[in-house]
PDB file of all heavy atoms in Angstrom:
ATOM      1  N   PHE A 283      -6.951   5.359  10.814  1.00 98.00           N
ATOM      2  CA  PHE A 283      -6.331   5.311   9.512  1.00 98.00           C
ATOM      3  C   PHE A 283      -5.096   6.233   9.408  1.00 98.00           C
ATOM      4  O   PHE A 283      -4.135   5.936   8.713  1.00 98.00           O
ATOM      5  CB  PHE A 283      -7.347   5.651   8.424  1.00 98.00           C
ATOM      6  CG  PHE A 283      -8.428   4.630   8.350  1.00 98.00           C
ATOM      7  CD1 PHE A 283      -9.724   4.917   8.764  1.00 98.00           C
ATOM      8  CD2 PHE A 283      -8.180   3.346   7.890  1.00 98.00           C
ATOM      9  CE1 PHE A 283     -10.739   3.987   8.712  1.00 98.00           C
ATOM     10  CE2 PHE A 283      -9.181   2.383   7.809  1.00 98.00           C
ATOM     11  CZ  PHE A 283     -10.463   2.705   8.231  1.00 98.00           C
ATOM     12  N   ALA A 284      -5.102   7.308  10.141  1.00 98.00           N
ATOM     13  CA  ALA A 284      -3.925   8.199  10.209  1.00 98.00           C
ATOM     14  C   ALA A 284      -2.770   7.448  10.844  1.00 98.00           C
ATOM     15  O   ALA A 284      -1.616   7.564  10.389  1.00 98.00           O
ATOM     16  CB  ALA A 284      -4.234   9.469  10.990  1.00 98.00           C
ATOM     17  N   ALA A 285      -3.043   6.696  11.885  1.00 98.00           N
ATOM     18  CA  ALA A 285      -1.986   5.914  12.566  1.00 98.00           C
ATOM     19  C   ALA A 285      -1.378   4.867  11.619  1.00 98.00           C
ATOM     20  O   ALA A 285      -0.169   4.633  11.598  1.00 98.00           O
ATOM     21  CB  ALA A 285      -2.523   5.258  13.813  1.00 98.00           C
ATOM     22  N   ILE A 286      -2.266   4.249  10.786  1.00 98.00           N
ATOM     23  CA  ILE A 286      -1.755   3.256   9.823  1.00 98.00           C
ATOM     24  C   ILE A 286      -0.841   3.947   8.824  1.00 98.00           C
ATOM     25  O   ILE A 286       0.280   3.455   8.569  1.00 98.00           O
ATOM     26  CB  ILE A 286      -2.954   2.604   9.089  1.00 98.00           C
ATOM     27  CG1 ILE A 286      -3.752   1.752  10.068  1.00 98.00           C
ATOM     28  CG2 ILE A 286      -2.426   1.750   7.917  1.00 98.00           C
ATOM     29  CD1 ILE A 286      -5.016   1.184   9.441  1.00 98.00           C
ATOM     30  N   ARG A 287      -1.281   5.063   8.265  1.00 97.00           N
ATOM     31  CA  ARG A 287      -0.451   5.732   7.248  1.00 97.00           C
ATOM     32  C   ARG A 287       0.837   6.306   7.821  1.00 97.00           C
ATOM     33  O   ARG A 287       1.860   6.313   7.150  1.00 97.00           O
ATOM     34  CB  ARG A 287      -1.269   6.840   6.589  1.00 97.00           C
ATOM     35  CG  ARG A 287      -2.418   6.346   5.740  1.00 97.00           C
ATOM     36  CD  ARG A 287      -2.854   7.397   4.744  1.00 97.00           C
ATOM     37  NE  ARG A 287      -3.938   6.936   3.871  1.00 97.00           N
ATOM     38  CZ  ARG A 287      -3.787   6.187   2.802  1.00 97.00           C
ATOM     39  NH1 ARG A 287      -2.560   5.824   2.443  1.00 97.00           N
ATOM     40  NH2 ARG A 287      -4.818   5.822   2.064  1.00 97.00           N
ATOM     41  N   GLU A 288       0.794   6.756   9.059  1.00 97.00           N
ATOM     42  CA  GLU A 288       1.979   7.368   9.672  1.00 97.00           C
ATOM     43  C   GLU A 288       2.841   6.400  10.424  1.00 97.00           C
ATOM     44  O   GLU A 288       3.924   6.782  10.929  1.00 97.00           O
ATOM     45  CB  GLU A 288       1.515   8.501  10.597  1.00 97.00           C
ATOM     46  CG  GLU A 288       0.799   9.629   9.868  1.00 97.00           C
ATOM     47  CD  GLU A 288       0.044  10.562  10.792  1.00 97.00           C
ATOM     48  OE1 GLU A 288       0.324  10.520  12.032  1.00 97.00           O
ATOM     49  OE2 GLU A 288      -0.802  11.346  10.306  1.00 97.00           O
ATOM     50  N   GLY A 289       2.416   5.132  10.515  1.00 97.00           N
ATOM     51  CA  GLY A 289       3.232   4.108  11.144  1.00 97.00           C
ATOM     52  C   GLY A 289       3.462   4.373  12.633  1.00 97.00           C
ATOM     53  O   GLY A 289       4.563   4.190  13.145  1.00 97.00           O
ATOM     54  N   ARG A 290       2.454   4.768  13.365  1.00 98.00           N
ATOM     55  CA  ARG A 290       2.550   5.088  14.774  1.00 98.00           C
ATOM     56  C   ARG A 290       1.418   4.455  15.552  1.00 98.00           C
ATOM     57  O   ARG A 290       0.458   3.909  15.002  1.00 98.00           O
ATOM     58  CB  ARG A 290       2.506   6.603  14.968  1.00 98.00           C
ATOM     59  CG  ARG A 290       1.225   7.244  14.468  1.00 98.00           C
ATOM     60  CD  ARG A 290       1.088   8.681  14.872  1.00 98.00           C
ATOM     61  NE  ARG A 290      -0.066   9.338  14.267  1.00 98.00           N
ATOM     62  CZ  ARG A 290      -1.327   9.222  14.737  1.00 98.00           C
ATOM     63  NH1 ARG A 290      -1.566   8.501  15.806  1.00 98.00           N
ATOM     64  NH2 ARG A 290      -2.311   9.853  14.120  1.00 98.00           N
ATOM     65  N   GLN A 291       1.542   4.493  16.882  1.00 97.00           N
ATOM     66  CA  GLN A 291       0.461   3.997  17.723  1.00 97.00           C
ATOM     67  C   GLN A 291      -0.653   5.050  17.799  1.00 97.00           C
ATOM     68  O   GLN A 291      -0.410   6.244  17.866  1.00 97.00           O
ATOM     69  CB  GLN A 291       0.992   3.717  19.137  1.00 97.00           C
ATOM     70  CG  GLN A 291       1.839   2.464  19.239  1.00 97.00           C
ATOM     71  CD  GLN A 291       1.051   1.225  18.789  1.00 97.00           C
ATOM     72  OE1 GLN A 291      -0.040   0.944  19.268  1.00 97.00           O
ATOM     73  NE2 GLN A 291       1.654   0.490  17.848  1.00 97.00           N
ATOM     74  N   PRO A 292      -1.915   4.614  17.768  1.00 98.00           N
ATOM     75  CA  PRO A 292      -2.996   5.571  17.785  1.00 98.00           C
ATOM     76  C   PRO A 292      -3.401   5.939  19.211  1.00 98.00           C
ATOM     77  O   PRO A 292      -3.041   5.258  20.154  1.00 98.00           O
ATOM     78  CB  PRO A 292      -4.143   4.755  17.135  1.00 98.00           C
ATOM     79  CG  PRO A 292      -3.855   3.340  17.561  1.00 98.00           C
ATOM     80  CD  PRO A 292      -2.345   3.231  17.594  1.00 98.00           C
ATOM     81  N   GLU A 293      -4.123   7.038  19.349  1.00 97.00           N
ATOM     82  CA  GLU A 293      -4.827   7.307  20.609  1.00 97.00           C
ATOM     83  C   GLU A 293      -5.793   6.169  20.836  1.00 97.00           C
ATOM     84  O   GLU A 293      -6.345   5.611  19.902  1.00 97.00           O
ATOM     85  CB  GLU A 293      -5.581   8.640  20.466  1.00 97.00           C
ATOM     86  CG  GLU A 293      -6.460   8.979  21.667  1.00 97.00           C
ATOM     87  CD  GLU A 293      -5.690   9.224  22.917  1.00 97.00           C
ATOM     88  OE1 GLU A 293      -5.073  10.312  23.034  1.00 97.00           O
ATOM     89  OE2 GLU A 293      -5.701   8.353  23.789  1.00 97.00           O
ATOM     90  N   SER A 294      -5.956   5.789  22.086  1.00 98.00           N
ATOM     91  CA  SER A 294      -6.756   4.632  22.488  1.00 98.00           C
ATOM     92  C   SER A 294      -6.234   3.310  21.915  1.00 98.00           C
ATOM     93  O   SER A 294      -6.996   2.433  21.504  1.00 98.00           O
ATOM     94  CB  SER A 294      -8.251   4.795  22.179  1.00 98.00           C
ATOM     95  OG  SER A 294      -8.567   4.652  20.815  1.00 98.00           O
ATOM     96  N   SER A 295      -4.905   3.202  21.907  1.00 98.00           N
ATOM     97  CA  SER A 295      -4.283   1.909  21.573  1.00 98.00           C
ATOM     98  C   SER A 295      -4.674   0.919  22.654  1.00 98.00           C
ATOM     99  O   SER A 295      -5.078   1.253  23.778  1.00 98.00           O
ATOM    100  CB  SER A 295      -2.759   2.049  21.550  1.00 98.00           C
ATOM    101  OG  SER A 295      -2.250   2.334  22.840  1.00 98.00           O
ATOM    102  N   VAL A 296      -4.535  -0.358  22.343  1.00 98.00           N
ATOM    103  CA  VAL A 296      -4.931  -1.397  23.293  1.00 98.00           C
ATOM    104  C   VAL A 296      -4.164  -1.221  24.604  1.00 98.00           C
ATOM    105  O   VAL A 296      -4.689  -1.391  25.708  1.00 98.00           O
ATOM    106  CB  VAL A 296      -4.716  -2.808  22.686  1.00 98.00           C
ATOM    107  CG1 VAL A 296      -3.275  -3.058  22.322  1.00 98.00           C
ATOM    108  CG2 VAL A 296      -5.204  -3.898  23.665  1.00 98.00           C
TER     109      VAL A 296
END
Side-chain angles (χ1 to χ4, degrees):
F283 296 110
I286 293 174
R287 290 200 179 278
E288 296 166 16
R290 59 171 174 81
Q291 287 301 307
E293 174 66 75
S294 74
S295 66
V296 61

